[in-house]
Amino acid sequence: QRTQLINGLRGLVAEFGIYIPRGLARVIGFAEDITLGEVLDLPDIANEVIRNLSEQLMALHHRVRWYEDRLKQVAKEDARVRLLRTIPGVGAVTASAIIASIGDGHQFRNGREFAAWLGLTPANKSSGGKEKLGRITKMGDQYLRSLLVVGMTSLVRQTRSHPERASKWLTSLLERKPARVATVAMANKTARIVVRLRRRPSDRRYDPMISLTLCPTSISARKSKFLPLLTAPAVGTGRRRTNSGLSRKALSAIGNVLPRPGGTAFAVHC
């Protein structure tokens, strides 16, 4: 409703050659000046209509602000929402909507099922032994999917303006793929992280180091199996897997450090 009023106000004043700059704050500032008594050099009937639209817009804007403040207050009091808000790109609205929709996520066996339920996984069009993945299915809860994509879009913008704060995974993805593809991929990854955190109520915050190393669908990191990888080649390449300092550091953080005899590489299998 607020967007409709803004578009109507913009279109009306544009008929008289008055341009309102882009942005919600600019339109709200213009409407506030009109309600405070500013009179434009326009016919009386036009000023009356503009004043009525401005009053409606300001009343609706204050109501929306009240709901936003109330939602933030409730989000601070709920430990489940506070936990999800530690994920980059997830705010109070997104976290509250996820909690209200899936609860503790027990209906999903793993994070991929939740991502598929949101329509963030690619459609499988494989045939005749050829593996072919299409666009995302866009099936399931459209509201949650749009919230995650919008949140990741904001994260991509922050990555471009402040690259020193961005994750290396997202930075490298933006170098190879378009921005929209990167935002959807990040939304898919975030959905899997959400299920992991909802199934681990003991976690107090999101740890990006552990999430990069452990399978997001594992129920308990301490029950994960660590198997030596001596000569396992990476899929599709001739390179061989090597030890990862990040993996060792993440495993140390969760107390699952195993001896590494003879330079044997360890990895997490879920």
Side-chain angles (χ1 to χ4, degrees):
Q1 295 178 2
R2 184 175 62 177
T3 303
Q4 292 177 352
L5 286 174
I6 289 175
N7 293 337
L9 183 60
R10 284 182 182 274
L12 179 60
V13 298
E15 294 290 338
F16 298 95
I18 299 176
Y19 171 74
I20 302 178
R22 294 179 58 184
L24 176 62
R26 302 294 184 87
V27 182
I28 296 300
F30 175 84
E32 186 176 7
D33 293 339
I34 295 298
T35 55
L36 292 178
E38 181 179 350
V39 179
L40 302 176
D41 188 14
L42 299 176
D44 294 339
I45 184 63
N47 280 318
E48 292 179 5
V49 175
I50 292 175
R51 187 180 302 107
N52 289 334
L53 288 176
S54 299
E55 292 175 354
Q56 295 179 35
L57 177 58
M58 292 305 300
L60 187 58
H61 178 68
H62 291 318
R63 179 62 61 180
V64 171
R65 288 300 185 188
W66 182 87
Y67 281 115
E68 289 178 352
D69 295 339
R70 189 73 180 92
L71 181 61
K72 291 179 181 179
Q73 181 181 356
V74 174
K76 291 180 180 180
E77 299 173 355
D78 195 327
R80 301 171 300 174
V81 178
R82 292 199 305 267
L83 176 60
L84 294 185
R85 291 185 64 184
T86 60
I87 304 175
V90 177
V93 177
T94 304
S96 302
I98 291 174
I99 295 299
S101 299
I102 69 172
D104 59 356
H106 67 278
Q107 61 270 46
F108 303 105
R109 292 181 299 177
N110 48 48
R112 191 186 187 284
E113 284 193 357
F114 179 52
W117 182 70
L118 293 177
L120 291 172
T121 54
N124 194 337
K125 300 180 180 180
S126 303
S127 176
K130 290 185 177 180
E131 183 178 356
K132 182 179 180 182
L133 300 179
R135 299 182 178 181
I136 60 174
T137 60
K138 294 185 179 181
M139 301 176 66
D141 197 320
Q142 181 180 0
Y143 178 63
L144 287 182
R145 182 175 67 250
S146 61
L147 286 178
L148 287 175
V149 172
V150 169
M152 296 309 111
T153 302
S154 176
L155 191 62
V156 168
R157 292 178 180 176
Q158 295 178 10
T159 300
R160 291 178 172 177
S161 58
H162 301 283
E164 69 280 358
R165 306 177 187 174
S167 65
K168 295 182 179 180
W169 182 84
L170 181 56
T171 302
S172 62
L173 184 62
L174 287 173
E175 294 176 354
R176 296 179 283 108
K177 299 293 183 180
R180 179 52 62 194
V181 175
T183 54
V184 174
M186 197 66 186
N188 189 327
K189 180 180 179 181
T190 302
R192 300 175 184 230
I193 296 174
V194 165
V195 172
R196 172 182 169 81
L197 291 182
R198 291 303 301 127
R199 289 192 169 190
R200 291 177 57 87
S202 59
D203 291 346
R204 296 183 178 180
R205 64 178 290 106
Y206 162 67
D207 190 346
M209 293 184 59
I210 295 180
S211 69
L212 287 175
T213 308
L214 299 181
C215 176
T217 62
S218 61
I219 305 301
S220 175
R222 296 184 179 274
K223 294 182 180 179
S224 302
K225 298 180 181 179
F226 299 87
L227 301 178
L229 299 177
L230 299 176
T231 59
V235 178
T237 64
R239 301 178 182 177
R240 300 186 181 276
R241 298 177 181 176
T242 57
N243 296 324
S244 172
L246 177 61
S247 301
R248 295 289 300 177
K249 190 172 182 180
L251 297 179
S252 301
I254 62 176
N256 284 328
V257 180
L258 295 180
R260 187 172 55 176
T264 302
F266 288 87
V268 179
H269 293 259
C270 303

